[in-house]
């Protein structure tokens, strides 16, 4: 009974603290993700107030948080939209992967880490934070801008790529080797294609099994199906997160819309628990030695994200101001980077990887939204106009050999 009481006290105090941190983040115009990570560092081993009784509860909550993040992501897209975006934005997705994954892998090798850690760090530096970027675009009133579809297309490609990357990295970290990882990747490819085909052809039929008229039944059905498929996927070494993502894609129409509304509070709750859990698993004392490498990696890969956005927007015929806005918007990393780092931490790969990833995400998720505001400042607009004025005469000159 005593341990149960302590559990209630710890969980209650933690959730209340997270609520206050979320409110603080919104007041100062900052994503709450870095604040949740800092809370985890404060309450974890080596922190100010270590949590003991609630550690197992938070661990389970964190796993549910990852699953809900991914199913909500899948619910945002229909299978048809996903395939259409894939065709249109594939070149930009390739540019994005090359410019942002390779620096992470190279950085791991420079630190003397093995190829497994390089594979993990490549994923951490590759994927932008869909949640943070969507919030920044909404806060800055840019959802209707010409460059916004380009930004969203890059994010969709990244999200879909994770459906193939996560099974590969999960298998490799499980110690099955590269051959086992390739096998897991092949299974994931077949599974994703099968689900996409089924969703395109039979998505409405699948959704008809669930009624939007009974909110309670719909919530339990979607949540139960998501957890069940995620568990089965994990047993098949395809990754629980990918299983959840595929459930989201398979649901469509009014069912998907209603599910988003009902699952959003649950996602916010368990996602916050997930970020705290990652902070709990990181020793604050291990962070100072990796701060300088994390800062260097953050600066490098934020620049490569800017290049990604500029090139992708230019391909779509968008002018220089829109290109710059697209590049700056893509800089923050967040939920996926922490999910990938969490897999590495669970497998025991490179003890410095967790503090490096925590510091890296903190740097990008704090500075990214702030730098995204640069195009709104008058001095920056003048600088862009000068660049455009310099470019116009050069473009007007006739081509010469």
């Amino acid at each position: 009974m005593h341990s149960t009481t302590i559990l209630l006290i710890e969980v209650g105090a933690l959730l209340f603290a997270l609520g206050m941190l979320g409110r603080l983040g919104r007041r100062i115009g900052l994503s709450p993700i870095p604040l949740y990570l800092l809370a985890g560092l404060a309450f974890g081993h080596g922190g100010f107030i270590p949590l003991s009784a609630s550690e197992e509860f938070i661990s389970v909550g964190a796993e549910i948080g990852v699953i809900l993040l991914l199913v909500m992501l899948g619910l945002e897209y229909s299978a048809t939209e996903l395939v259409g975006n894939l065709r249109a934005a594939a070149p930009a997705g390739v540019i994005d992967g090359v410019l942002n994954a390779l620096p992470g892998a190279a950085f791991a090798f420079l630190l003397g880490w093995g190829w497994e850690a390089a594979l993990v760090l490549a994923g951490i530096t590759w994927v932008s934070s869909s949640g943070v970027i969507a919030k920044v675009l909404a806060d800055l009133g840019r959802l209707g801008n010409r460059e916004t579809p380009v930004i969203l297309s890059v994010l969709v490609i990244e999200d879909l790529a994770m459906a193939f990357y996560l099974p590969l990295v999960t298998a490799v970290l499980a110690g099955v080797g590269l051959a086992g990882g390739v096998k897991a990747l092949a299974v994931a490819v077949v599974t994703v294609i099968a689900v996409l085909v089924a969703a395109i052809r039979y998505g409405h039929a699948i959704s008809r099994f669930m009624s939007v008229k009974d909110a309670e039944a719909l919530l339990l059905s979607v949540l139960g199906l998501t957890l069940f498929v995620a568990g089965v996927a994990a047993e098949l070494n395809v990754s629980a997160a990918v299983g959840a993502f595929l459930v989201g894609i398979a649901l469509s129409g009014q069912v998907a819309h209603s599910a988003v509304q009902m699952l959003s509070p649950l996602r916010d709750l368990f996602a916050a628990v997930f970020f705290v859990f990652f902070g709990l698993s990181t020793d604050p004392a291990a962070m100072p030695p990796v701060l300088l490498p994390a800062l260097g990696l953050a600066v490098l890969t934020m620049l490569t994200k800017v290049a990604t956005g500029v090139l992708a927007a230019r391909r779509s015929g968008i002018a220089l101001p829109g290109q710059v806005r697209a590049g700056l918007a893509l800089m923050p990393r967040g939920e996926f980077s922490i999910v990938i780092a969490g897999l590495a931490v669970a497998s025991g790969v490179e003890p410095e990887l967790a503090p490096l990833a925590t510091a890296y995400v903190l740097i990008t998720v704090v500075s990214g939204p702030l730098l995204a505001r640069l195009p709104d400042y008058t001095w920056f607009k003048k600088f862009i106009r000068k660049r455009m004025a310099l470019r116009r005469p050069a473009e007007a000159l006739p081509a010469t050999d």
Side-chain angles (χ1 to χ4, degrees), residues 39-190:
L41 290 170
F43 292 124
H45 300 291
F48 300 114
I49 315 169
L51 300 178
S52 53
S54 60
E55 204 166 310
E56 188 176 348
F57 175 87
I58 292 171
S59 174
V60 174
E63 216 168 318
I64 295 173
V66 175
I67 289 168
L68 288 177
L69 278 169
L70 269 293
V71 71
M72 291 291 287
L73 196 60
L75 286 168
E76 294 294 334
Y77 312 112
S78 71
T80 306
E81 289 171 339
L82 202 61
V83 172
N85 276 323
L86 180 60
R87 288 173 179 164
V94 172
I95 293 170
D96 181 35
V98 171
L99 289 182
N100 297 286
L102 291 183
F107 202 83
F109 288 127
L110 283 175
L111 293 174
W113 295 350
W115 68 272
E116 294 94 342
L119 180 65
V120 170
L121 197 55
I124 290 172
T125 58
W126 177 11
V127 187
S128 299
S129 171
S130 302
V132 173
I133 291 169
K135 189 175 188 314
V136 168
L137 292 175
D139 290 346
L140 297 180
R142 296 183 188 167
L143 291 176
N145 284 18
R146 278 198 66 203
E147 75 275 2
T148 298
V150 175
I151 296 170
L152 296 179
S153 294
V154 171
L155 295 177
V156 169
I157 293 287
E158 288 181 351
D159 296 337
L160 187 58
M162 286 299 100
F164 304 121
Y165 171 84
L166 287 176
L168 175 64
V169 78
T170 301
V172 168
L173 293 175
V176 299
L178 188 58
V182 172
K183 182 182 176 182
L185 177 59
V187 171
V189 169
V190 172

Side-chain angles (χ1 to χ4, degrees), residues 317-378:
I318 294 169
L320 185 59
Q323 295 172 20
V324 174
R325 286 194 297 268
L328 292 173
L330 286 168
M331 290 191 294
R333 271 67 159 190
E335 54 272 20
F336 260 129
S337 297
I338 297 299
V339 168
I340 296 164
L343 292 173
V345 170
S347 67
V349 171
E350 291 300 338
E352 290 185 338
L353 186 58
L356 177 72
T358 303
Y360 174 78
V361 169
L362 282 170
I363 292 167
T364 61
V365 87
V366 171
S367 59
L370 296 176
L371 291 172
R373 298 173 185 268
L374 282 178
D376 295 334
Y377 293 112
T378 304

Side-chain angles (χ1 to χ4, degrees), residues 8 17 31 75 104 118 140 209 262 267 288-291 293 298 307 309 323 358 384:
L8 292 174
S31 165
L75 286 168
L140 297 180
F209 280 106
M262 289 186 294
R267 178 210 48 199
V290 300
L291 278 178
Q323 295 172 20
T358 303
I384 294 296

Side-chain angles (χ1 to χ4, degrees), residues 222-241:
V222 174
L223 185 58
L225 180 63
T226 301
L227 295 176
F228 174 77
V229 172
V232 171
E235 282 295 314
L236 296 174
N237 291 322
V238 175
S239 165

Side-chain angles (χ1 to χ4, degrees), residues 37 72 117 208 211 295 308 354 396:
L37 288 170
M72 291 291 287
R208 272 200 295 269
S211 173
L295 179 60
T308 297

